[in-house]
Amino acid sequence: MYKIAVLPGDGIGHEIVPEAAKVLELIGKLYGHEFAFTQGLIGGAAIDEVGAPLPEETVNLCLASDAILLGAVGGPKWDILPVHLRPEGAALLGLRKALGLYANLRPAILYKALANASTLKPEIIEGIDLLMVRELTGGLYFGRKYREDTPDQGQKAVDTLVYTEAEVERIVRLAFQLAQLRRKQVCSVDKANVLESSRLWREVATRVAKDFPDVELTHMYVDNCAMQLVRWPKQFDVVVTENMFGDILSDQASMLSGSIGMLPSASIGGKVALYEPSHGSAPDIAGQKKANPIATILSAAMMLRYSFQLSKEAQVIEDAVVRVLDGGYRTGDIMEEGKTLVNTEEMGDLIRKEIETLAKQ
Ligand code: IPM
Ligand code: MG
C-alpha cells in the first residue's frame, strides 16, 4: 500500500488535485496497487481553517506518507499578511525545507500536438526535451532577510544569497546522475562573472564533473541562458542551477511545452518526495473549471516513476495525455482554433478514459 498525502492548497489547487488523485485511483484499480489518500491543509486554506500556513499536523502527515501530491498555494486574500504567515514562503518554502527537498526536477518536453500552442515558432521547439534541475532549499529564498531604517534614504531591505560547497555539490551531482540516464549533457547555469556564490557554484560543478567522464559539462551565464532558451532550446539536456535562477528559468522553459499548465515537477532529496505542478494557484481563473490539470496529472506520473518505481504505470499516464492532445482536446491555456475546448474535469475524464483503453492493450 502506498500512502499519499494530498494537499490541494489554494485557488485552482482544489480543481486540479482531485483530477490527478482520480488518475492514481484508476491506476491502482487497473494495475492492482492500493493508494491510500489523506488530505492535509496548507497555504491560505490552512490559515483560514487553523490560523497557520503550514500546520504541524500537515508536516507530520507528509513525514508519515510515502509521497506528497500538492496543488498550489497563495492568493490575493493572503498577500497582505505579514511575511511569516504568507502562504508562499511559510507554507511552500517551509515544507520544502522541513522535508529536505533540495532538488526540484522540471522536465519540459514538447507534445507534438501542441507545437502551435506555444508562442515560439514550431521549428524552434520541435523535439525539445530538457530537464531543469533547480536547487530548492538554499540561496536567496532562504537566506537572512530583514529591513532597517536608514537615516536619510528611507527603509533598507536586505536578502542574502548563501550557498555552501556541500549544498552545491549534492545538487550538481544529482544533475550528473540524471544526465547519465539521458543525453549525457549538463549545462550549469550561474552568474559567475558577478556573484561570489556563482563562482563557488562553478568551481564545485567543475570538480564534480571529474567523477562523470561520460557526461559533458558546460557553463552558461543565467542571462545568456534566458536568451538561449528561446533562441535554440534544443541545445539543452539537463540544466542545473541555483534556486532563484531555476525558479525564473523553469517558468520560461514551460513555454517550450506550450503552456505552464503542462509542466510537472518533482521535489526530491529528502525522505518523502513532493509532486506538484510548476504553476501557481492562478486566482484569476480559480473556481471556474478552466484550469489545465495536465501538469498535476503528469506530476502524479512522476510520483509513480520516482517514488514507487512504477514506470510502466507512469508511462501509461503520459501516453494517455499524448492521446488526448492528439485527439484535439484542449483546456483554455492551450486552446487553438479548430480544437475542442474542455474544462478541468472533462480533461481529467478524457485522460482516464485513455488510460483504461491503454491498460487493456
Ligand atoms: C515555484 C513557485 C514558488 C517558488 C513560489 C510560489 C514560492 O514559483 O514553485 O516555482 O518560488 O518556488
Ligand atoms: Mg516559480
Side-chain angles (χ1 to χ4, degrees):
M1 189 181 77
Y2 302 105
K3 288 182 281 178
I4 302 175
V6 179
L7 316 177
D10 305 315
I12 59 169
H14 292 274
E15 297 158 64
I16 54 181
V17 166
E19 296 312 316
K22 281 187 274 177
V23 164
L24 288 172
E25 244 166 52
L26 177 64
I27 289 284
K29 199 182 92 193
L30 294 170
Y31 292 91
H33 310 296
E34 201 185 324
F35 299 112
F37 301 98
T38 312
Q39 297 258 345
L41 287 167
I42 193 165
I47 295 174
D48 290 353
E49 195 91 3
V50 295
L54 182 62
E56 213 184 302
E57 233 189 331
T58 299
V59 177
N60 291 336
L61 166 69
C62 290
L63 285 169
S65 302
D66 299 313
I68 306 155
L69 180 66
L70 182 112
V73 301
K77 180 173 173 196
W78 307 283
D79 280 352
I80 35 145
L81 292 174
V83 74
H84 69 283
L85 283 176
R86 288 281 299 269
E88 292 87 345
L92 195 51
L93 269 57
L95 185 63
R96 289 167 178 169
K97 193 75 171 180
L99 299 176
L101 303 172
Y102 67 83
N104 182 228
L105 317 185
R106 297 185 167 178
I109 64 170
L110 179 72
Y111 293 87
K112 279 205 188 72
L114 296 184
N116 290 305
S118 173
T119 51
L120 295 163
K121 292 197 186 102
E123 63 268 28
I124 299 293
I125 53 177
E126 241 150 42
I128 62 122
D129 176 3
L130 71 87
L131 179 64
M132 273 284 167
V133 179
R134 167 186 174 193
E135 201 291 325
L136 203 59
T137 52
L140 211 45
Y141 293 8
F142 289 92
R144 185 170 168 237
K145 36 183 120 280
Y146 62 93
R147 291 218 198 170
E148 229 170 58
D149 287 323
T150 64
D152 53 1
Q153 298 190 48
Q155 283 206 332
K156 174 169 101 179
V158 180
D159 291 289
T160 329
L161 204 179
V162 184
Y163 270 110
T164 64
E165 277 186 88
E167 281 175 313
V168 179
E169 170 148 1
R170 63 181 179 182
I171 187 79
V172 170
R173 197 165 280 285
L174 179 75
F176 274 97
Q177 286 161 354
L178 291 164
Q180 281 183 321
L181 306 171
R182 298 171 47 98
R183 301 194 303 280
K184 300 190 168 56
Q185 292 166 14
V186 169
C187 178
S188 172
V189 173
D190 61 41
K191 188 71 186 173
N193 49 350
V194 177
L195 299 176
E196 202 50 43
S197 56
S198 280
R199 282 190 277 273
L200 179 67
W201 184 282
R202 195 173 275 225
E203 279 165 35
V204 174
T206 306
R207 193 173 69 214
V208 170
K210 299 210 170 77
D211 295 341
F212 298 87
D214 54 329
V215 179
E216 187 199 348
L217 170 69
T218 52
H219 301 281
M220 194 180 274
Y221 294 140
V222 61
D223 45 352
N224 184 23
C225 183
M227 187 265 278
Q228 296 295 341
L229 272 174
V230 288
R231 189 185 80 90
W232 181 36
K234 270 173 250 190
Q235 68 187 285
F236 295 110
D237 178 20
V238 174
V239 176
V240 63
T241 191
E242 64 97 49
N243 201 345
M244 183 172 72
F245 296 163
D247 186 21
I248 298 168
L249 294 177
S250 62
D251 265 36
Q252 189 174 343
S254 76
M255 277 318 286
L256 306 172
S257 310
S259 158
I260 196 165
M262 297 295 300
L263 199 71
S265 90
S267 301
I268 63 173
K271 200 170 101 355
V272 192
L274 182 149
Y275 300 86
E276 56 170 325
S278 301
H279 58 70
S281 58
D284 55 322
I285 57 163
Q288 301 172 38
K289 296 191 185 166
K290 284 185 183 163
N292 184 350
I294 293 180
T296 318
I297 289 171
L298 292 174
S299 301
M302 290 184 89
M303 175 191 290
L304 296 182
R305 181 170 284 123
Y306 290 112
S307 283
F308 306 149
Q309 281 74 49
L310 299 174
S311 40
K312 182 182 71 190
E313 289 83 340
Q315 190 66 50
V316 166
I317 297 176
E318 289 158 0
D319 290 348
V321 168
V322 170
R323 289 170 68 126
V324 171
L325 295 173
D326 286 345
Y329 299 101
R330 303 282 188 272
T331 43
D333 58 320
I334 47 177
M335 184 58 189
E336 294 164 71
E337 221 184 286
K339 305 296 179 196
T340 313
L341 183 67
V342 296
N343 69 28
T344 309
E345 207 177 350
E346 287 163 345
M347 182 56 94
D349 285 339
L350 286 161
I351 292 168
R352 287 184 289 274
K353 215 175 90 202
E354 290 298 342
I355 290 174
E356 294 211 54
T357 310
L358 286 166
K360 280 192 209 116
Q361 284 176 1

